[in-house]
Amino acid sequence: EAGVTQFPSHSVIEKGQTVTLRCDPISGHDNLYWYRRVMGKEIKFLLHFVKESKQDESGMPNNRFLAERTGGTYSTLKVQPAELEDSGVYFCASSQRQTYSYEQYFGPGTRLTVT
Amino acid sequence: GEDVEQSLFLSVREGDSSVINCTYTDSSSTYLYWYKQEPGAGLQLLTYIFSNMDMKQDQRLTVLLNKKDKHLSLRIADTQTGDSAIYFCAERESGNTPLVFGKGTRLSVIA
């Protein structure tokens, strides 16, 4: 079974540019989460999809961030325009709804560097 | 708000036991987790414990939970160089709510 995949693995962009990150969850997983780790700090929650619906987007830092999950499959996270403080590693995770522990499976992350 | 604290660094000799500690503030935490991140890799779930348990053992890993003190620890017996990684403590309140992570403890194993 394929795990959670993320693309690209690394992106370097200039301040003011736009970047789109993609996450492909494990097939059949209804829950999809985005998290971010800024250098040396905690991994922080950004938002949670259940299928194609946003269940919780309380962690989105501001309206420069837009997440979508069309058709309830893969998800994209767009940052427009990017700022220096957006640099960090963006993780995606997915989980089934049926497992008791709701274990979240994480992707390898996308390292975003804004210069 | 919810907060999870962990020490940032730990260095141990190969073959010794490692103990990584974590404290959390949310008294309604139901699930507590330990994740491992190796260089260039994603987060790998090592183990988890429910709040109604006080200990869980899985091969070389032992998790201890003191719910009164809101303290969680991960003990790795016979630590190997392959255990060198960042270990994240995380908690969540209920089934599909988001995880709240600590900053991670970087474990260095000296041969």
Side-chain angles (χ1 to χ4, degrees), chain B residues 45-80:
Chain B
L45 178 65
L46 281 180
T47 186
Y48 63 88
I49 190 168
F50 299 123
S51 59
N52 60 359
M53 300 166 65
D54 51 24
M55 187 181 92
K56 182 178 180 182
Q57 186 148 6
D58 183 2
Q59 299 182 337
R60 293 191 297 122
L61 305 178
T62 303
V63 178
L64 295 177
L65 173 61
N66 181 327
K67 196 173 179 185
K68 174 176 168 288
D69 295 338
K70 298 190 186 72
H71 182 267
L72 182 73
S73 68
L74 173 69
R75 178 177 181 271
I76 306 172
D78 187 26
T79 312
Q80 302 298 308

Side-chain angles (χ1 to χ4, degrees), chain A residues 53-109:
Chain A
S53 300
K54 290 176 186 173
Q55 178 83 5
D56 181 355
E57 49 185 330
S58 61
M60 294 287 262
N62 51 60
N63 59 8
R64 295 186 295 103
F65 288 74
L66 175 64
E68 294 180 326
R69 191 182 182 196
T70 308
T73 55
Y74 70 92
S75 174
T76 58
L77 179 65
K78 180 191 284 189
V79 185
Q80 179 183 28
E83 298 289 344
L84 297 178
E85 64 263 25
D86 301 332
S87 295
V89 181
Y90 289 76
F91 291 103
C92 174
S94 71
S95 71
Q96 291 178 308
R97 302 186 77 177
Q98 292 78 19
T99 57
Y100 188 51
S101 70
Y102 289 87
E103 178 179 343
Q104 293 185 16
Y105 296 85
F106 280 78

Side-chain angles (χ1 to χ4, degrees), chain A residues 99-102, chain B residues 28-33 48-51 72 90-97 99:
Chain A
T99 57
Y100 188 51
S101 70
Y102 289 87
Chain B
S28 57
S29 297
T30 304
Y31 306 90
L32 296 126
Y33 302 82
Y48 63 88
I49 190 168
F50 299 123
S51 59
L72 182 73
E91 61 87 14
R92 78 171 153 202
E93 193 174 307
S94 63
N96 62 351
T97 55
L99 292 162

Side-chain angles (χ1 to χ4, degrees), chain A residues 6-98:
Chain A
Q6 293 187 244
F7 182 83
S9 57
H10 194 180
S11 178
V12 181
I13 61 171
E14 291 183 354
K15 177 182 170 181
Q17 289 186 321
T18 297
V19 63
T20 301
L21 314 181
R22 174 172 169 142
C23 168
D24 285 78
I26 293 172
S27 177
H29 281 194
D30 289 339
N31 291 297
L32 187 149
Y33 304 81
W34 284 98
Y35 293 86
R36 174 174 75 170
R37 186 180 190 217
V38 172
M39 179 70 75
K41 294 191 179 285
E42 302 88 348
I43 299 170
K44 290 221 171 191
F45 165 75
L46 295 177
L47 88 158
H48 170 207
F49 283 99
V50 177
K51 296 186 179 179
E52 66 274 8
S53 300
K54 290 176 186 173
Q55 178 83 5
D56 181 355
E57 49 185 330
S58 61
M60 294 287 262
N62 51 60
N63 59 8
R64 295 186 295 103
F65 288 74
L66 175 64
E68 294 180 326
R69 191 182 182 196
T70 308
T73 55
Y74 70 92
S75 174
T76 58
L77 179 65
K78 180 191 284 189
V79 185
Q80 179 183 28
E83 298 289 344
L84 297 178
E85 64 263 25
D86 301 332
S87 295
V89 181
Y90 289 76
F91 291 103
C92 174
S94 71
S95 71
Q96 291 178 308
R97 302 186 77 177
Q98 292 78 19

